[in-house]
Amino acid sequence: MCFNGRKLSENFHNYGVVQKEECMSSASSSPAEVVATEVVALAILKYADVPGGLMPLLIDVHASLDYVPKESVAAIASGMGLSRAEVHGVVSFYHDFHYEPRGQTTIHLCRAEACQAMGSRKLEQHVKSRLGVDFGGTTADGRFSLEPVYCLGNCACSPSIRIGDDVHARVDAAHFDKLLDAI
């Protein structure tokens, strides 16, 4: 059985979203692509009849894969009775949704005024240089993603960053390097 041109596990049934069709050869799909396709198909089946089901669908897909595969937008739109533009609009509007896999650890660098006044722009240049990525990027080794944030609520101790779930205060280039080396 296939979904969106990809072969699915035999445990899928045809509920109007999963349809029998000519499949691509299984050699052309990586195991990760097959898993992503199955996750999306299950989410569509789960939320297709739920009013306002797009957000919970996207949350489930993102929670399972850590991203929403861009190639799944058409299938999600079709399964939810929406346009591709509507699905893309939701994914691109919310900063917690991503079209590409994210790094193992996300680094949020504060760009609010208090942090800027205390040197976050200089820190930003160092962080981008050290990681070799811009905001929204992920390091080549997949370890880190860099994201801007517009307040960490730590203004009195600027500049601040969050690495994973931990907020760090009064961060300069040397402090950042020590934090990164400790991970």
Side-chain angles (χ1 to χ4, degrees):
M1 191 171 298
C2 296
F3 174 76
N4 204 23
R6 303 240 167 124
K7 185 166 175 52
L8 297 177
S9 300
E10 296 305 317
N11 61 342
F12 278 87
H13 303 285
N14 186 350
Y15 291 109
V17 174
V18 179
Q19 298 177 8
K20 292 181 180 178
E21 58 186 50
E22 188 68 31
C23 287
M24 302 182 324
S25 80
S26 58
S28 66
S29 295
S30 73
E33 289 173 327
V34 171
V35 168
T37 301
E38 289 186 8
V39 165
V40 170
L42 283 172
I44 292 169
L45 290 171
K46 183 176 179 180
Y47 294 106
D49 296 325
V50 175
L54 179 61
M55 281 298 285
L57 178 150
L58 293 172
I59 289 167
D60 275 8
V61 169
H62 205 278
S64 296
L65 302 174
D66 201 32
Y67 74 108
V68 176
K70 193 164 195 151
E71 61 275 2
S72 71
V73 169
I76 292 170
S78 176
M80 299 300 291
L82 301 168
S83 71
R84 290 185 312 234
E86 289 171 303
V87 175
H88 172 73
V90 172
V91 173
S92 63
F93 179 80
Y94 292 99
H95 65 83
D96 285 334
F97 293 137
H98 304 283
Y99 277 131
E100 299 294 327
R102 308 304 294 156
Q104 296 167 350
T105 302
T106 300
I107 299 170
H108 288 94
L109 185 106
C110 185
R111 300 191 73 200
E113 290 80 3
C115 283
Q116 286 186 37
M118 297 302 291
S120 70
R121 288 197 179 199
K122 185 175 180 181
L123 176 62
E124 176 185 329
Q125 291 172 346
H126 175 76
V127 170
K128 287 178 177 180
S129 174
R130 170 78 194 266
L131 296 176
V133 297
D134 201 346
F135 285 126
T138 299
T139 57
D141 61 6
R143 289 186 63 207
F144 302 104
S145 290
L146 179 62
E147 295 291 339
V149 66
Y150 292 93
C151 190
L152 290 170
N154 205 26
C155 302
C157 302
S158 300
S160 297
I161 63 169
R162 181 173 59 215
I163 299 176
D165 293 328
D166 300 323
V167 176
H168 301 274
R170 296 186 177 98
V171 179
D172 59 12
H175 187 188
F176 176 77
D177 289 343
K178 286 179 187 175
L179 291 168
L180 199 62
D181 291 341
I183 299 175

